[in-house]
């Protein structure tokens, strides 16, 4: 069964360092998303991506964040200069469609710990 | 804005007990409602959904009914198993200025003891 894969599963970094989280969405999906969940809080939308560009982003997704689809398979989230409050579980998701009833398919998540 | 509120966890039950996990939503329009489940070490996966009022979504013995009058989508199961131990996320999807970005709750952890 096709699945979304994420790497790394856990990354520990020092404050101020750059981090890249990687995702391989399901191959025939066209819409890609990043969400994050700070421990004990809601799963928060960061950004969506379609047709090689950002389609939507939340207020959380500031200039420290960027996304890229460098080739036909990978979808990356970059945090340029990590802060303590960036510590969270980051989920990548993909979907075939963008409509009201569609399902998202998630990866296992990448846990980021900023020290 | 649109939001989802779930009951706090963890919910701890014995095997074969009845489960209810409450979910209420706030939405400016007419959402579709979803329950996702995350088993240990895995990603979130769709458990069930309902796309209009009074619809009942069901899967693996779980059910949830879309109640527009109470803006709720409570998850229920008549007899839980140890294998149901997981985190359950309520979510909505609604058009907001042409966007259908899904909105999630914080998740409710369910622990089922033998």
């Amino acid at each position: 069964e096709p699945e979304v894969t994420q790497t790394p599963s856990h990354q520990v970094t020092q404050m101020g360092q750059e981090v890249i989280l990687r995702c391989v969405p399901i191959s025939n999906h066209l819409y890609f998303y990043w969400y994050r969940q700070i421990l004990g809080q809601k799963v928060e939308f960061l950004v969506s991506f379609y047709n090689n560009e950002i389609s939507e982003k939340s207020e959380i997704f500031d200039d420290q964040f960027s996304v890229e689809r460098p080739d036909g398979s990978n979808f990356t989230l970059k945090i340029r200069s990590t802060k303590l409050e960036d510590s969270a579980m980051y989920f990548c998701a993909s979907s075939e469609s963008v409509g009201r009833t569609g399902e998202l398919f998630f990866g296992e998540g990448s846990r980021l710990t900023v020290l | 804005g649109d939001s989802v509120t779930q009951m706090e966890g963890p919910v701890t039950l014995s095997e074969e007990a009845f489960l209810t996990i409450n979910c209420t939503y706030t939405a400016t329009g007419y959402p579709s409602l979803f329950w996702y489940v995350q088993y240990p070490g895995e990603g979130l996966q769709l458990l069930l959904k309902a796309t209009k009022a009074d619809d009942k979504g069901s899967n693996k013995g779980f059910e949830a009914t879309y109640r527009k009058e109470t803006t709720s989508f409570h998850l229920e199961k008549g007899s839980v198993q140890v294998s149901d131990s997981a985190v359950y996320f309520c979510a909505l999807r609604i058009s907001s200025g042409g966007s259908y970005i899904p909105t999630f709750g914080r998740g409710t952890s369910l622990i089922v003891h033998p």
Side-chain angles (χ1 to χ4, degrees):
Chain A
E1 186 177 324
E3 59 181 15
V4 176
T5 57
Q6 289 186 242
T7 54
S9 56
H10 188 194
Q11 181 156 357
V12 181
T13 190
Q14 295 291 324
M15 193 168 55
Q17 295 297 303
E18 176 182 284
V19 161
I20 297 176
L21 305 178
R22 292 182 168 80
C23 170
V24 179
I26 294 173
S27 61
N28 65 332
H29 286 186
L30 301 176
Y31 302 89
F32 314 120
Y33 310 82
W34 283 101
Y35 284 81
R36 78 172 185 190
Q37 185 178 29
I38 296 171
L39 189 63
Q41 299 185 25
K42 291 187 176 187
V43 175
E44 302 172 293
F45 168 71
L46 293 178
V47 66
S48 62
F49 194 86
Y50 169 69
N51 201 25
N52 282 322
E53 61 182 22
I54 291 173
S55 47
E56 292 191 61
K57 60 183 181 179
S58 71
E59 292 176 354
I60 303 168
F61 194 88
D62 61 19
D63 292 343
Q64 293 293 328
F65 292 90
S66 63
V67 289
E68 195 176 43
R69 188 156 163 83
D71 52 44
S73 59
N74 288 284
F75 178 50
T76 62
L77 174 69
K78 182 193 289 186
I79 309 174
R80 288 191 181 80
S81 178
T82 50
K83 304 188 279 285
L84 295 176
E85 55 265 36
D86 294 327
S87 294
M89 181 71 89
Y90 289 80
F91 293 104
C92 175
S94 68
S95 65
E96 280 184 280
S97 68
V98 74
R100 175 178 163 271
T101 62
E103 171 186 359
L104 265 60
F105 293 80
F106 284 84
E108 295 176 10
S110 293
R111 180 169 297 284
L112 175 64
T113 302
V114 182
L115 302 176
Chain B
D2 304 323
S3 66
V4 168
T5 302
Q6 293 181 233
M7 63 188 288
E8 294 264 350
V11 174
T12 304
L13 296 172
S14 297
E15 207 164 24
E16 299 184 3
F18 184 85
L19 168 71
T20 300
I21 300 178
N22 291 336
C23 171
T24 56
Y25 67 90
T26 302
T28 52
Y30 191 17
S32 292
L33 301 171
F34 303 79
W35 278 101
Y36 283 78
V37 58
Q38 184 182 28
Y39 298 104
E42 300 183 15
L44 282 75
Q45 56 188 273
L46 181 66
L47 179 61
L48 54 84
K49 69 179 182 183
T51 60
K52 61 183 188 292
D54 300 325
D55 265 5
K56 179 186 285 187
S58 61
N59 186 23
K60 299 182 182 179
F62 290 89
E63 293 182 340
T65 301
Y66 189 140
R67 300 285 188 202
K68 191 177 178 186
E69 63 275 14
T70 54
T71 62
S72 64
F73 192 55
H74 304 322
L75 182 68
E76 296 182 335
K77 187 174 186 182
S79 176
V80 293
Q81 305 301 311
V82 172
S83 57
D84 294 326
S85 297
V87 182
Y88 293 81
F89 293 87
C90 187
L92 66 81
R93 202 164 188 184
I94 188 169
S95 175
S96 176
S99 162
Y100 291 97
I101 297 299
T103 299
F104 288 82
R106 67 173 61 208
T108 302
S109 175
L110 170 65
I111 301 168
V112 181
H113 294 295

